Each structure stands twice: as C-alpha cells, then as structure tokens.
Amino acid sequence: MVSRHIAPRPHGLDAPLIVSLTSYPKRYDVLHLTLTCLLCQTIMPDEVSLWIGDGDFEQLPESVLMLQERGLKIYRTKDLRSFKKIIPALSRWPEAYIATADDDVYYPADWLEGLVATAIAFPGRIIAHRVHRIIYDAAGEIESYERWSKNLLRGQEGQALFATGVGGILYPPRSLHPDIVREDLFMTLCPGGDDLWLYWMAQRQGSVVRHVGPKHRTIEWPGSQVFALRSVNRGTPDESGNDLAIAKLTKYFRLSE
C-alpha cells in the first residue's frame, strides 16, 4: 500500500481542479494503489473522481470503496471504454481544469503540482508530463505512429506535440472542441484511442500542448499490463490500431471541415 504523510496546499488555479480517471474489473486489484497516490498529492484538487461503467460497479473491491472515506468520489456512468476518464467529467464540470490519470500507474506526490505549476506559468495550454512529437512525411501527411519521436526529454510546446494519457494530462477550461463529447464520432472513428481523439479535439480548438519536462518515467504496478490496450493500438509499423484510427480521423475531419 502507498503510504504518504502530506499536508497538501491549495492549487491556486482560477477554476475548480478535478482529477479524473476510470477503471474496469481486470484492473481492480491495483486500482486502490493508484487512487491512494492521487489522494496523497502535495496540492489538493477539489475532487478525485472515479468513473465506473454501470456493468462494472458492483464488482468494485472494498479496497477501493473504503477510499471514499478519504475523499474519493465514485460515479456510475455509461460504458464508454477509456473515454470514461474524461467525457463524463467534462460534461459535469465544463468550466473546470480536468487532470486525467490512468488506473494502473504509480504517481509521485508532486505529480499534480507539476501539472498545475506549468499551467499557471503557461496559461491556456494543455499540460502533459509525457509527450511524443508527431512526424510528417514530405507530403505533409502523418507518419506511422511507430515512427514518431517518443517520450520527449525537455519542456517544450507546439502543435505537433502529442500528449499521452499515461503520464497525466491537465486540460484547462474550453481547451477542447465542443465535439469532444460526441460519442457517435469517437466510438466510430477511434473507439480504442482516447488520446488520439483528445489530440484532434485540441487541434480543432486551436489549443497547444505544453510538456512539463523532463522525460517522464512510467512506473506501472506489476501485472497490470496483461490486459492493456497498448499492444492492440501499437501493432506493427505497417498496421496498428493507432494508425487505423489516425487514418479515419484524418479522413473524416478533412471531408467535414
């Protein structure tokens, strides 16, 4: 069990700060570990919210339920796969800062503070601990996901920076296009690619990603990756779930705008 003794400070942002994540039964064995990390940060969010699909709610273990005594809020929601970590939160708190986290990762005590301090220093940016740089070919088309520059080293920002959810991302109010909540689109174009959908919605809104820096080290709980979407999304350089989703997103928005 994660053990920390911290007296958190106010976050100092100009709107509420919500930490939001989702999970499902195959991750429930380690979920309480991640939640404890998020509940023991050096700065205090207004809420740590866990969104659970209706069909998975009754299976939540006591190790998670007992964390409600420490401030965790648990909500039932429609099963939108990994999109549950942000879509319901955006609908509930449209004017809040939403910090997303994954359910199978160790987060250090200053994880949230790093996101918030960067957001204050660079207002209006989407803030991420872990980013890739999208690579384009000579014709201006996006190269295969496997050819992107991964997990960049230093703090920087730009339209070609792609925030990855595993490190944690902070979305300021109105940084995502209103279509972000359109289930008909994201479940058709990229049902397994919430990071891709969020990138496209940020681009359509004219938002810029800022990397906290330095290079992010991801520490996952042992055994938690047996059921990860990562292997499906990455696939091979010639055909991966990410590349198929990118092709669909590119085609749809090119034709519709």
Side-chain angles (χ1 to χ4, degrees):
M1 187 66 172
V2 179
S3 179
R4 294 175 181 163
H5 301 282
I6 295 172
R9 306 185 305 278
H11 55 72
L13 294 168
D14 57 0
L17 171 62
I18 308 297
V19 175
S20 183
L21 72 162
T22 188
S23 192
Y24 64 112
K26 290 177 180 178
R27 293 273 177 81
Y28 284 177
D29 286 347
V30 299
L31 176 58
H32 68 287
L33 299 174
T34 295
L35 289 169
T36 301
C37 291
L38 299 176
L39 289 164
C40 299
Q41 292 288 305
T42 55
I43 63 170
M44 182 180 293
D46 292 278
E47 185 170 306
V48 176
S49 304
L50 174 65
W51 302 89
I52 298 296
D54 287 325
D56 298 334
F57 197 90
E58 301 303 329
Q59 299 178 60
L60 279 171
E62 186 63 27
S63 61
V64 172
L65 295 173
M66 66 187 300
L67 292 175
Q68 293 175 102
E69 298 176 3
R70 299 176 58 181
L72 175 68
K73 301 295 184 183
I74 305 177
Y75 298 97
R76 292 177 182 260
T77 187
K78 182 178 182 181
D79 189 359
L80 300 174
R81 302 182 65 172
S82 58
F83 294 90
K84 298 194 302 295
K85 72 181 178 185
I86 188 167
I87 299 301
L90 288 170
S91 299
R92 186 178 180 92
W93 298 286
E95 297 301 317
Y97 289 80
I98 308 292
T100 61
D102 277 7
D103 61 347
D104 57 345
V105 174
Y106 165 81
Y107 291 104
D110 61 352
W111 166 79
L112 187 58
E113 183 172 0
L115 293 172
V116 169
T118 308
I120 291 172
F122 299 93
R125 273 59 157 201
I126 293 171
I127 311 298
H129 276 296
R130 185 173 185 270
V131 302
H132 303 332
R133 180 175 295 280
I134 299 173
I135 303 300
Y136 296 85
D137 63 20
E141 299 296 327
I142 297 176
E143 289 270 18
S144 169
Y145 179 83
E146 290 304 305
R147 297 187 175 96
W148 295 5
S149 297
K150 303 295 179 58
N151 199 5
L152 301 186
L153 292 171
R154 59 182 178 82
Q156 54 191 292
E157 66 178 50
Q159 296 286 349
L161 293 193
F162 179 85
T164 69
V166 67
I169 306 171
L170 179 61
Y171 296 93
R174 299 174 298 282
S175 59
L176 297 166
H177 190 276
D179 282 349
I180 182 66
V181 296
R182 284 194 56 183
E183 178 186 349
D184 61 319
L185 289 182
F186 63 73
M187 292 301 282
T188 298
L189 299 173
C190 52
D194 55 292
D195 285 349
L196 290 168
W197 177 248
L198 287 158
Y199 173 80
W200 248 261
M201 294 299 101
Q203 289 290 298
R204 293 184 68 205
Q205 191 72 349
S207 297
V208 174
V209 169
R210 178 79 196 184
H211 181 212
V212 175
K215 182 175 182 177
H216 178 76
R217 181 188 178 198
T218 302
I219 302 174
E220 294 159 337
W221 305 113
S224 65
Q225 290 304 299
V226 174
F227 305 101
L229 283 172
R230 188 174 312 149
S231 59
V232 176
N233 285 342
R234 291 184 65 173
T236 68
D238 296 319
E239 184 173 353
S240 72
N242 281 328
D243 289 339
L244 293 172
I246 289 167
K248 288 182 179 180
L249 287 160
T250 302
K251 181 178 179 181
Y252 179 83
F253 287 112
R254 185 175 290 162
L255 293 175
S256 63
E257 296 181 344

